[in-house]
Amino acid sequence: MMQTRSDWAQVLLDDGLRLSNKVVLITGSSRGIGRAIALMFAAAGADIVVNYLKSHELAVAIVKKIKAMGRDAVAIQADVSQHAQARRLVAAVLDNYGRIDVLVNCAGVNKDSSVAKMSIDTWSQVLAVNLTGTFNCTKAVIGPMREQQAGRIINISSVVGQIGMAGASNYAAAKAGIFGFTKAVAKEVAHKGITVNALALGYFETGMLLTLSRQLQENALRQIPMRRFGRPEEVAQAALFLASDASSYITGQVIHVNGGFYM
């Protein structure tokens, strides 16, 4: 029998993966995987900052849902690819809560094209959101986390950054950059009690996958040993582990959440 959302949330809570009264900032969390992480973390006891770029109504709806769960939440608009806006986002979180315990860099965008046909703007936008956005938000939270002598940074990346994908060189480059960035920053801040890890995702029942034709979806499915696409909550479960005290001795790691797609 398939578990409901409340069932799997309760299983995790019973196992001690709690974020009681932690303050969590999740970029790009108005929809998709970011939304699933926000709801999972709220179920684990955290207060959530929902960051969005354009989806104001969706962000507000998630805030209402989280508050109905008994946790506090706020929606803050910011383009994380812009350094000044990322700094403003973090400053707003500190003004609201006085601290940031967990940062999840989830904001991302893809614009596929072959290298021969790709414009400089298309290349730059994907790098700006996925890679520079991760840098901007991480840089902004490092100071407060160092003062706290504690913090968790979780970077959402993709298996595409390791295997490449024809027609997505910009996306592959950005996601590959996140792996190196994660390891470098982890070495810089480990002595301050801050861990930095990345999740390498495969195909999930949301976002980009839903824009593919049936044939392309079937082709992708054949490459996954588990013979199914992932569910957003399965990313949220892995992220919750990395955000919790259960992962206190894990840093600088890339954890694959892709059904065996990358082996």
Side-chain angles (χ1 to χ4, degrees):
M1 183 176 179
M2 188 173 181
Q3 287 183 323
T4 65
R5 183 182 298 275
S6 59
D7 289 334
W8 50 252
Q10 190 59 51
V11 167
L12 291 174
L13 294 176
D14 289 343
D15 286 344
L17 297 180
R18 294 182 177 273
L19 299 177
S20 300
N21 301 314
K22 299 291 187 182
V23 176
V24 180
L25 167 59
I26 307 169
T27 68
S29 50
S30 64
R31 63 180 73 200
I33 287 171
R35 178 182 186 276
I37 294 173
L39 294 175
M40 174 72 78
F41 281 24
D47 294 327
I48 308 296
V49 178
V50 177
N51 161 250
Y52 68 98
L53 180 59
K54 298 178 180 178
S55 305
H56 175 72
E57 291 184 1
L58 292 177
V60 170
I62 297 169
V63 167
K64 290 181 179 178
K65 191 175 183 67
I66 291 171
K67 288 185 174 180
M69 298 165 65
R71 301 308 311 170
D72 193 35
V74 62
I76 302 177
Q77 191 279 337
D79 180 353
V80 298
S81 72
Q82 302 298 312
H83 182 65
Q85 292 194 40
R87 288 181 61 187
R88 174 178 61 78
L89 170 63
V90 171
V93 178
L94 294 173
D95 286 343
N96 271 279
Y97 296 103
R99 61 185 296 115
I100 297 178
D101 298 294
V102 182
L103 166 66
V104 182
N105 285 307
C106 192
V109 65
N110 66 290
K111 285 193 168 185
D112 294 349
S113 172
S114 66
V115 169
K117 296 179 179 179
M118 186 179 295
S119 69
I120 296 299
D121 286 345
T122 296
W123 168 268
S124 298
Q125 183 181 2
V126 171
L127 268 290
V129 175
N130 292 280
L131 184 55
T132 303
T134 296
F135 163 79
N136 286 339
C137 293
T138 299
K139 180 176 175 62
V141 304
I142 285 297
M145 286 185 175
R146 287 169 66 95
E147 291 179 6
Q148 296 165 189
Q149 294 284 298
R152 299 279 190 271
I153 299 173
I154 303 165
N155 299 323
I156 305 300
S157 190
S158 169
V159 67
V160 171
Q162 291 179 305
I163 66 173
M165 180 176 288
S169 60
N170 48 2
Y171 188 76
K175 294 303 186 180
I178 288 175
F179 295 138
F181 178 78
T182 296
K183 293 176 182 294
V185 178
K187 289 183 177 181
E188 292 178 8
V189 300
H191 68 292
K192 292 295 186 178
I194 304 167
T195 66
V196 189
N197 293 287
L199 297 178
L201 309 188
Y203 289 99
F204 284 80
E205 297 170 344
T206 186
M208 184 174 65
L209 177 68
L210 302 181
T211 68
L212 300 179
S213 67
R214 177 180 291 274
Q215 182 176 350
L216 287 176
Q217 289 189 30
E218 290 175 351
N219 290 342
L221 195 60
R222 282 194 290 271
Q223 300 178 64
I224 302 173
M226 293 186 73
R227 292 295 186 267
R228 68 173 177 84
F229 298 123
R231 298 184 294 274
E233 58 263 31
E234 291 176 309
V235 181
Q237 290 168 356
L240 178 59
F241 168 70
L242 291 176
S244 73
D245 289 341
S247 67
S248 57
Y249 202 55
I250 298 174
T251 195
Q253 301 305 304
V254 176
I255 298 178
H256 287 267
V257 188
N258 47 54
F261 183 79
Y262 181 83
M263 288 191 184

